[in-house]
Amino acid sequence: MSVNRFKKVHATSFRARYKFELLKDEFIDENILKNYLEKIEHVTSVRINKKALSVVFTFNEDVCEQIEER
């Protein structure tokens, strides 16, 4: 059974918040993850909250599909 570990929980025109279960892993470096996700075209900022297991994206064009593919 595959579990979706990356799930959109809220979105507006220029912002989206995802739950990311892998943030529970103590070996995940949020700075490396943040730098990787900020390279997605049209993403203007990424904020990671490891305690809440969430990743918030701000973008200037809807890129949710590209985010979810990554």
Side-chain angles (χ1 to χ4, degrees):
M1 181 174 126
S2 91
V3 176
N4 185 357
R5 295 177 161 252
F6 193 69
K7 180 180 171 194
K8 187 190 313 180
V9 291
H10 183 261
T12 63
S13 299
F14 298 104
R15 195 170 165 272
R17 183 166 49 99
Y18 288 83
K19 279 290 192 186
F20 191 34
E21 295 293 319
L22 281 178
L23 289 173
K24 286 180 185 173
D25 188 330
E26 65 183 273
F27 299 108
I28 295 287
D29 184 327
E30 59 257 45
N31 292 318
I32 291 172
L33 180 61
K34 181 179 190 274
N35 288 334
Y36 172 73
L37 295 171
E38 284 177 334
K39 290 179 181 160
I40 299 171
E41 192 174 1
H42 302 294
V43 169
T44 55
S45 73
V46 176
R47 191 178 78 233
I48 296 175
N49 183 334
K50 214 166 173 177
K51 259 188 180 166
L53 305 178
S54 70
V55 181
V56 177
F57 294 88
T58 307
F59 38 80
N60 54 23
E61 191 173 298
D62 187 355
V63 291
C64 289
E65 197 172 301
Q66 292 91 312
I67 290 169
E68 291 163 18
E69 286 173 4
R70 290 250 176 138

